[in-house]
């Protein structure tokens, strides 16, 4: 997926798709599925970062997503 495609999808979501929690799923080659609520979209780096509950990055990844939201809201407020 390209960044442009992701932006296009999110730019015109149905209202019922714009609220609620997100869960990331990682489907491994051996058939296991890991689910997590620690996910972050890093548009600068072109990555979607998912961190497993017991990993060292789980809490940091969730905090970093909050920082991404702050940057977005500040940018939106400045350009308004």
């Amino acid at each position: 997926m390209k960044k442009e495609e992701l932006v296009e999808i999110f730019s015109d979501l149905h209202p019922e798709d714009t609220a609620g929690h997100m869960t990331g799923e990682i489907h491994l080659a051996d058939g296991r599925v890991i689910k997590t609520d620690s996910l972050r979209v890093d548009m600068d780096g072109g990555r979607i970062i998912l961190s497993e509950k017991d990993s060292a990055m789980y809490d940091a990844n969730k905090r970093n997503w909050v920082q991404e939201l702050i940057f977005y809201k500040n940018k939106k407020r400045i350009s308004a």
Side-chain angles (χ1 to χ4, degrees):
M1 173 173 261
K2 295 180 181 178
K3 290 180 189 182
E4 297 87 352
E5 295 167 331
L6 186 63
V7 170
E8 182 178 349
I9 288 169
F10 283 121
S11 68
D12 192 28
L13 289 174
H14 188 279
E16 69 184 25
D17 294 335
T18 62
H21 294 280
M22 292 284 297
T23 301
E25 293 186 1
I26 303 106
H27 296 259
L28 302 175
D30 64 6
R32 291 182 296 143
V33 177
I34 299 170
K35 295 183 180 186
T36 183
D37 65 343
S38 178
L39 53 138
R40 177 169 60 102
V41 177
D42 173 18
M43 293 301 281
D44 291 345
R47 304 174 296 166
I48 296 175
I49 304 166
L50 300 106
S51 297
E52 187 178 22
K53 178 89 173 160
D54 295 326
S55 74
M57 287 302 299
Y58 178 82
D59 291 324
N61 195 47
K62 288 183 83 163
R63 281 192 308 272
N64 286 342
W65 179 244
V66 171
Q67 191 61 46
E68 295 280 347
L69 288 173
I70 291 168
F71 289 147
Y72 171 76
K73 289 176 182 179
N74 285 340
K75 180 183 173 214
K76 192 173 177 181
R77 193 172 55 233
I78 290 169
S79 63

